[in-house]
């Protein structure tokens, strides 16, 4: 093979790697290699943040529709592992698909939702640890929870969450919620 032929082969392989999993088949060797290369680093969380998430994971995993109760414990372990790996939603989606038979699209939605809800709880605990007591609710247009829009730019207590629809919630802590918390520049 000529030098030009070798370069062309290299260029095509490099292009496929750069494009990542979206340009490749779902089950290709390059896709799994890409996933390993882009795997996020494990989270470095405080004990308070870990305890906060540990306290709600059962409820969050319990919100997965059509997951038989006999699989809940295994699902909790899988979600916990993905969150501790740095909110690895791609890896979680793959595990949900393989172990529980969810379609790839449904597994991807569940994984993103679980990681987003975990992030909200962990971020709230970290803000409390930094000394913040209050935050401002920032509603995002992608949020599918109608009552969250009415709470936009309102202050709430980080310890209790915001009282919306007669329950205490944190931004991003419910399925379909993309809202965020904004803490002030100074703790307290």
């Amino acid at each position: 093979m000529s030098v030009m032929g070798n370069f062309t082969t290299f260029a095509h392989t490099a292009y496929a790697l750069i494009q990542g999993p979206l340009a490749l088949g779902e089950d290709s060797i390059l896709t799994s290699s890409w996933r390993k290369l882009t795997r996020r680093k494990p989270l470095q969380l405080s004990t308070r943040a870990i305890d906060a998430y540990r306290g709600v994971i059962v409820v969050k995993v319990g919100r997965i529709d059509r997951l038989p109760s006999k699989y809940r414990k295994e699902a909790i372990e899988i979600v916990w592992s993905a969150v501790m790996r740095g909110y690895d939603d791609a890896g979680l989606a793959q595990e949900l698909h393989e172990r529980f038979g969810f379609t790839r699209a449904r597994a991807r939605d569940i994984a993103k939702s679980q990681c987003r809800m975990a992030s909200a709880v962990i971020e709230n605990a970290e803000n409390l640890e930094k000394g913040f007591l209050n935050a401002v609710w920032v509603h995002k247009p992608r949020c599918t929870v109608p009552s969250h829009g009415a709470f936009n730019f309102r202050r709430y207590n980080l310890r209790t969450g915001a009282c919306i629809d007669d329950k205490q919630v944190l931004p991003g802590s419910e399925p379909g919620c993309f809202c965020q918390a904004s803490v002030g520049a100074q703790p307290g």
Side-chain angles (χ1 to χ4, degrees):
M1 186 178 268
S2 70
V3 173
M4 192 59 169
N6 285 340
F7 178 75
T8 303
T9 303
F10 172 76
H12 285 289
T13 305
Y15 179 75
L17 285 171
I18 291 169
Q19 291 298 309
L22 298 177
L24 303 169
E26 285 289 332
D27 297 320
S28 74
I29 294 171
L30 290 177
T31 299
S32 63
S33 297
W34 179 261
R35 192 177 300 117
K36 289 176 186 172
L37 286 172
T38 58
R39 186 169 288 151
R40 296 177 183 175
K41 294 180 181 174
L43 293 177
Q44 300 296 322
L45 299 176
S46 67
T47 304
R48 185 176 193 167
I50 291 172
D51 289 344
Y53 184 56
R54 186 177 288 131
V56 299
I57 188 172
V58 173
V59 173
K60 302 302 181 191
V61 172
R63 292 183 172 187
I64 299 174
D65 292 335
R66 297 184 296 271
L67 178 66
S69 58
K70 65 181 180 179
Y71 296 124
R72 296 258 187 236
K73 185 175 180 183
E74 185 179 359
I76 289 168
E77 291 170 5
I78 293 168
V79 171
W80 177 271
S81 177
V83 168
M84 293 303 131
R85 283 193 313 259
Y87 308 111
D88 180 17
D89 56 351
L92 177 56
Q94 185 69 24
E95 293 235 19
L96 291 170
H97 170 70
E98 290 172 357
R99 291 196 189 188
F100 305 119
F102 288 111
T103 65
R104 289 191 186 278
R106 174 112 171 90
R108 194 170 23 252
D109 290 344
I110 292 169
K112 287 181 180 180
S113 179
Q114 289 292 320
C115 288
R116 190 172 48 252
M117 290 188 293
S119 175
V121 171
I122 290 168
E123 181 182 322
N124 188 69
E126 288 174 343
N127 284 334
L128 281 168
E129 196 164 347
K130 291 175 187 172
F132 293 104
L133 301 176
N134 297 302
V136 174
W137 188 288
V138 181
H139 175 70
K140 299 294 181 180
R142 292 179 56 198
C143 179
T144 61
V145 184
S147 56
H148 289 187
F151 207 77
N152 195 25
F153 296 120
R154 292 182 57 192
R155 291 187 80 70
Y156 68 95
N157 187 309
L158 285 172
R159 286 192 184 109
T160 60
C163 184
I164 301 176
D165 296 332
D166 296 324
K167 59 183 177 179
Q168 301 300 122
V169 295
L170 298 171
S173 67
E174 295 185 307
C177 178
F178 292 85
C179 299
Q180 294 178 330
S182 174
V183 292
Q186 298 295 320

